Amino acid sequence: MVEDYSKFGPAYRNFKVKEGVYVPEPVAEFSGDNPFTRMAPIRGKYKDIKFDETYPYLDKSLKFKIWHFLIYLATWIVGFPVNWIRYGLMIEGRKKIRQNRKLFANGVMTVCNHVYRWDMFCVLQAMRFRKAWIPMYAQPFNGKDGFLMKHIGGIPIPENRSGLRKFDQAFDELASRKQWIHIFPESCSWNFYAPLRPFKTGTFNMAYKYSLPILPLMITFRPRTGWRRFISKSEPLVTIHVGDPIIPDVNAPRKEETARMRDLAHITMLEMAGIVSNPWPSNID
């Protein structure tokens, strides 16, 4: 018998999964009209940082380098054990990264659904000690999370033309240095939301521009079992799946190729999650 998940609200309309796939009950009321609704408030005192041409999108200061190292060290010492203890993090398909190491030698773009506060740590753990640079909404950098966001590798996306030029220059340099880039193409986090939301096309424009293979990742959920039931009753356990890489065809027209990669990444991630009917298309830009 196929369960009717429309009882969870309009954001779950027509949602169907394969038998045995776990779907957690919603922890919030999600929009059925706007999949890019930002659910997380900016925490702490607002700083009003100017994200223009004066902002150091690629900070090369010694202070940044020290904090960048320390934050990554703390990520492994603290972040990953928390993900395992609290969320029972499991990783499936990580061997695909090792198998494709030659393909990824000049850099790669990872993409993943954005479904809870610690999901970037899931991505980093699946990547096996590799660092990643992450385009992020600029405004949350003004809150108390801004320090961690910046020093984990977050680069704010400016909303003005002068800032965008500097932002592009930063990623031009990172691509020339063969760095790994991670993007959440759903753009904002919806906690423990099982369906897959539409993707922003800009993600795939960047992969095309830098000729980066795309590595799709997908976070799915499991019911709490054993001793973890005493830690949290409202949050599920998580598994991150590693998919097969998608290779950009830079000889194809940009618009057509970015749409192909976007749609293929979306389909691949739906398959990894066991989703057979999704409320959202791959894109509504």
Side-chain angles (χ1 to χ4, degrees), residues 110-139:
T110 55
V111 296
C112 187
N113 54 330
H114 204 359
V115 288
Y116 78 114
R117 182 172 175 79
W118 295 75
D119 52 13
M120 188 61 214
F121 293 153
C122 284
V123 172
L124 293 174
Q125 190 161 0
M127 288 164 52
R128 284 189 180 274
F129 298 101
R130 293 173 176 87
K131 294 192 295 184
W133 300 92
I134 315 134
M136 298 179 175
Y137 274 131
Q139 292 309 311

Side-chain angles (χ1 to χ4, degrees), residues 73-173:
L73 185 63
T75 294
W76 286 101
I77 294 174
V78 179
F80 295 144
V82 168
N83 241 345
W84 180 79
I85 293 170
R86 181 166 181 171
Y87 297 107
L89 175 61
M90 296 177 62
I91 303 171
E92 292 190 0
R94 187 161 58 179
K95 64 181 181 181
K96 294 178 182 178
I97 296 178
R98 182 178 67 253
Q99 293 169 343
N100 290 285
R101 60 183 181 276
K102 291 184 179 179
L103 175 64
F104 300 156
N106 293 321
V108 65
M109 175 179 289
T110 55
V111 296
C112 187
N113 54 330
H114 204 359
V115 288
Y116 78 114
R117 182 172 175 79
W118 295 75
D119 52 13
M120 188 61 214
F121 293 153
C122 284
V123 172
L124 293 174
Q125 190 161 0
M127 288 164 52
R128 284 189 180 274
F129 298 101
R130 293 173 176 87
K131 294 192 295 184
W133 300 92
I134 315 134
M136 298 179 175
Y137 274 131
Q139 292 309 311
F141 282 77
N142 286 300
K144 64 182 295 185
D145 293 330
F147 181 86
L148 176 61
M149 292 169 64
K150 176 178 178 179
H151 292 94
I152 199 69
I155 299 179
I157 304 170
E159 297 179 354
N160 58 75
R161 186 168 296 178
S162 63
L164 282 170
R165 283 196 297 267
K166 294 293 185 179
F167 173 88
D168 288 340
Q169 289 171 12
F171 277 95
D172 288 346
E173 181 172 339

Side-chain angles (χ1 to χ4, degrees), residues 189-256:
S189 179
W190 283 13
N191 282 347
F192 308 111
Y193 180 64
L196 189 62
R197 287 174 287 145
F199 291 166
K200 293 285 189 177
T201 304
T203 299
F204 304 92
N205 279 324
M206 184 179 286
Y208 181 90
K209 176 181 179 181
Y210 299 126
S211 190
L212 290 174
I214 296 170
L215 185 65
L217 310 170
M218 184 70 184
I219 295 172
T220 60
F221 309 109
R222 313 189 312 273
R224 285 197 170 261
T225 57
W227 54 268
R228 288 190 177 91
R229 289 178 296 177
F230 300 102
I231 297 176
S232 174
K233 294 183 179 180
S234 62
E235 298 174 329
L237 303 181
V238 302
T239 301
I240 186 167
H241 308 259
V242 181
D244 294 317
I246 298 169
I247 314 300
D249 180 2
V250 294
N251 294 315
R254 179 192 60 79
K255 186 175 182 179
E256 295 176 9

